[in-house]
Amino acid sequence: MNTTFGGKPHVLILGGGSVGLTTASDLRKTLGSEVAITIVDPRPYMTYAPFLPEVGAGSIDPRNVLAPLRKVLAGTKVVTGSVSQIRSAENTVVVTTDEDVQLEISYDYLVVGLGSVPRLLPIPGLAENAIGFKQIEEAVAVRDRILANLAEAASTKDPKIRKRLLTFTFIGGGFAGGEAVSETEDMVRDALRYYPDLHASDIRFVLIDAAPFVFPELTEDQRAYVLNQLRERGVEVKLETFLNSAEDGVIKTSDGDEFESGLLVWNAGVKPNPVLGDEESSDLPVITERGPMMGKLDALADLRVNGTDGPFDNVFTGGDCAAVPDLASGEGKFCPPNAQHAVRQGKRVADNIARSVQGRPLVDYYHKNLGVMATLGMYKGVGRLNVADKELDIRGLPAWAMARAYHVYAMPTLGRKAAVIAGWATNLISRRDIIGIPQSSTPRAAFEYAANTGKKK
């Protein structure tokens, strides 16, 4: 099937994340019906990733961190499918739908915002037993597993089974992993009031990282503060330690420790969407030198993709899959892969495409980092703000409140902002829900059990 758009420039956007959604939204505001816009993503919604730790801790309803693309991007064609091939030489992209139908979509302008995927290592048992923390489904599964394990542990008298059920292991001490373990530990601490048969000493949270510190984006003093906070709350932090094996749920680490774990969450790094690095899938050049930028598209400051023979005039990029020069930080540095930059890069891409359509010169992307904020559970947080060329160290309740306020501001759609705030208000009154529904991943199990039982009879 060949899909084309005649009579007006067609902008094809790969990826419905922060870059893709912002680009499409701003382009529609700027050019209106002068352009045709198509957005491609395997999911029909954008996930606001900074809120995933709170979803995993039951503080936010999962649907409230999702922006439905068809609802948000009125007038934009949404194709639910995965990118199979990028043929920039032909101005064509091949998309495979869930039904294995292949669509060939031609374009005048291409925006590549495919994001990243977990960077897995060849560790025995990792792929079979771990779960990531990049998608809404994963955050929900982590929450349900932890809460279900509490209920099951309270119902068993076998000390070995109880110990396994109440041991939760997180790999990766960056912002994603650190916030995930902090928020979920806080959830468990809150839930224990409803489990008189369980005690805080029964719970074991383990955070493992190969680096000598957690939260590398923070200052040395702030890292020490976070580390102290985690350890005071009983989180066992293993630094300069590697996961050697996770077969059959048995965690073996490089420091010689060995224990059974009821949950293994992998947050140890990401890599650009692999379709970009596959020569058979994409003819766009990627950075091949080993390092943090390996596998990413080489972007110019105006966010066009840079090739060996010069820039691709009609191909733009941004977000996790792009090495974007950070003009505000100095020569040779690149923008960190966070939502703060992704949203603003999407705005610059939209503006530059509009400029290209109208025959005006492009503008370089420039954004001075506002700082970083992280929540560490209810009323706990840490971060730094860049104000008037000075860095302010924020900790505790102020950091927690500022992090929440910023993310509500950045969350797309007024309806979702209101829903998040309403959910928080409800939690203040009735506390977080303690129901875990791990069976939601296998909704036919009860029906199949009934059918099989009937056959046996």
Side-chain angles (χ1 to χ4, degrees):
M1 178 179 177
N2 184 275
T3 305
T4 59
F5 293 77
K8 60 180 69 174
H10 177 217
V11 180
L12 177 59
I13 301 172
L14 307 182
S18 294
V19 172
L21 184 144
T22 305
T23 299
S25 177
D26 279 34
L27 259 180
R28 186 59 71 204
K29 292 175 184 176
T30 304
L31 296 179
S33 60
E34 295 179 29
V35 294
I37 304 173
T38 301
I39 191 165
V40 176
D41 196 281
R43 294 172 172 82
Y45 50 78
M46 184 274 258
T47 302
Y48 188 68
F51 272 150
L52 287 182
E54 291 209 50
V55 171
S59 298
I60 299 180
D61 185 276
R63 292 182 183 274
N64 292 338
V65 305
L66 305 179
L69 298 177
R70 288 182 173 85
K71 185 176 181 179
V72 176
L73 302 174
T76 297
K77 182 176 179 60
V78 177
V79 176
T80 305
S82 302
V83 175
S84 300
Q85 288 187 321
I86 301 175
R87 305 172 186 162
S88 64
E90 304 169 18
N91 285 356
T92 300
V93 170
V94 179
V95 176
T96 304
T97 68
D98 289 342
E99 293 75 30
D100 280 335
V101 176
Q102 288 201 331
L103 308 175
E104 288 191 2
I105 307 176
S106 61
Y107 61 83
D108 296 293
Y109 292 93
L110 179 66
V111 180
V112 184
L114 289 172
S116 58
V117 299
R119 185 188 300 276
L120 298 185
L121 300 177
I123 298 172
L126 176 63
E128 295 81 7
N129 295 293
I131 185 171
F133 208 82
K134 277 187 64 64
Q135 303 295 341
I136 190 70
E137 301 90 345
E138 294 171 327
V140 171
V142 167
R143 180 201 66 188
D144 285 349
R145 175 79 67 80
I146 291 176
L147 292 175
N149 280 15
L150 290 180
E152 188 175 348
S155 304
T156 182
K157 297 186 180 298
D158 188 318
K160 185 178 180 181
I161 293 177
R162 174 179 286 203
K163 187 175 182 179
R164 173 178 58 79
L165 289 169
L166 299 179
T167 299
F168 310 108
T169 306
F170 290 72
I171 312 296
F175 261 48
E179 284 190 290
V181 72
S182 299
E183 292 284 354
T184 52
E185 187 277 336
D186 194 74
M187 174 184 70
V188 170
R189 182 188 298 271
D190 186 61
L192 283 179
R193 70 181 65 239
Y194 304 106
Y195 289 95
D197 294 329
L198 302 180
H199 187 269
S201 61
D202 297 323
I203 311 297
R204 184 184 185 188
F205 274 89
V206 184
L207 177 62
I208 300 171
D209 198 294
F213 44 72
V214 294
F215 285 46
E217 300 90 341
L218 299 178
T219 65
E220 186 174 346
D221 286 346
Q222 290 172 325
R223 293 173 193 161
Y225 169 79
V226 172
L227 186 60
N228 185 59
Q229 284 282 310
L230 292 174
R231 286 176 169 162
E232 281 188 352
R233 289 159 58 178
V235 178
E236 188 177 334
V237 183
K238 294 174 173 287
L239 299 177
E240 298 182 273
T241 305
F242 298 90
L243 175 66
N244 288 345
S245 174
E247 291 183 298
D248 300 321
V250 178
I251 307 301
K252 297 180 181 180
T253 59
S254 60
D255 62 357
D257 199 3
E258 181 176 331
F259 55 91
E260 293 186 35
S261 182
L263 175 69
L264 176 61
V265 181
W266 180 263
N267 267 307
V270 295
K271 63 181 180 180
N273 191 301
V275 73
L276 297 175
D278 184 354
E279 293 182 357
E280 295 183 1
S281 301
S282 171
D283 60 1
L284 294 175
V286 298
I287 296 174
T288 57
E289 292 82 4
R290 296 192 67 84
M293 297 299 115
M294 184 177 177
K296 294 189 176 187
L297 295 173
D298 184 10
L300 296 175
D302 59 18
L303 300 180
R304 287 179 297 171
V305 172
N306 188 28
T308 53
D309 298 324
F312 290 72
D313 288 331
N314 66 336
V315 182
F316 294 80
T317 188
D320 290 6
C321 68
V324 178
D326 190 351
L327 300 183
S329 297
E331 187 176 352
K333 294 187 177 181
F334 297 93
C335 297
N338 57 33
Q340 181 182 150
H341 279 286
V343 170
R344 289 166 176 81
Q345 287 165 9
K347 290 180 177 293
R348 173 52 51 212
V349 168
D351 182 63
N352 277 344
I353 290 177
R355 286 172 172 272
S356 179
V357 170
Q358 297 167 347
R360 296 185 290 143
L362 306 186
V363 176
D364 288 346
Y365 172 72
Y366 181 95
H367 171 65
K368 192 169 184 179
N369 202 343
L370 302 175
V372 291
M373 287 285 175
T375 58
L376 304 174
M378 288 294 290
Y379 313 119
K380 298 176 281 290
V382 64
R384 55 181 174 80
L385 289 179
N386 296 326
V387 180
D389 294 327
K390 293 183 179 179
E391 284 195 352
L392 301 181
D393 185 341
I394 314 292
R395 302 179 184 183
L397 178 60
W400 174 82
M402 292 179 71
R404 278 194 159 190
Y406 174 79
H407 289 313
V408 167
Y409 164 77
M411 179 70 206
T413 81
L414 181 61
R416 289 300 193 245
K417 297 176 195 286
V420 168
I421 294 173
W424 285 336
T426 301
N427 287 342
L428 288 175
I429 300 171
S430 61
R431 311 195 72 89
R432 283 181 281 200
D433 206 328
I434 63 167
I435 299 174
I437 314 176
Q439 295 85 355
S440 61
S441 60
T442 55
R444 279 177 43 81
F447 185 82
E448 290 172 349
Y449 172 77
N452 291 332
T453 302
K455 287 180 180 179
K456 289 176 182 178
K457 288 183 179 178

